[in-house]
Amino acid sequence: MREIFVVHKDGSFFAYYNTCPHTGATLEWQENQFLDMDNTLIQCATHDALFIIDTGECIAGPCTGDSLEALPLIIESNQIHLDI
Ligand code: FES
């Protein structure tokens, strides 16, 4: 079973597998802490890669140019569902 996480940004939700494209490590610093200090980017705790929240693209670090694996979401009646 693979872990996922969901980020809420500006009224939108983005879901990704909790797997860094660099080594496959999980991303969070501590439980449910996936963002950098400014809460503007997803940050990998292992080697500090930074990812755009909206796209999952890595823009800094050892996996620059790679992306987190996104999952499609459906929001209905104030509930979030994975569309898989
Ligand atoms: S494991 Fe994420 S940047 Fe290396």
Side-chain angles (χ1 to χ4, degrees):
M1 181 184 302
R2 297 174 70 187
E3 292 181 17
I4 68 164
F5 66 100
V6 176
V7 180
H8 181 211
K9 177 188 170 193
D10 299 332
S12 296
F13 294 88
F14 305 91
Y16 298 100
Y17 283 110
N18 185 9
T19 304
C20 181
H22 181 215
T23 68
T26 54
L27 296 158
E28 70 271 36
W29 294 90
Q30 50 188 294
E31 189 173 12
N32 296 320
Q33 298 296 316
F34 290 88
L35 302 183
D36 66 354
M37 297 293 283
D38 297 329
N39 288 328
T40 57
L41 296 164
I42 297 165
Q43 185 168 12
C44 178
T46 304
H47 303 115
D48 297 331
L50 295 170
F51 304 87
I52 297 172
I53 291 173
D54 307 55
T55 64
E57 180 186 0
C58 180
I59 58 168
C63 48
T64 299
D66 290 340
S67 293
L68 300 173
E69 190 175 350
L71 293 154
L73 295 176
I74 296 174
I75 300 175
E76 292 177 337
S77 304
N78 292 323
Q79 294 187 333
I80 302 172
H81 303 272
L82 284 173
D83 188 22
I84 55 176

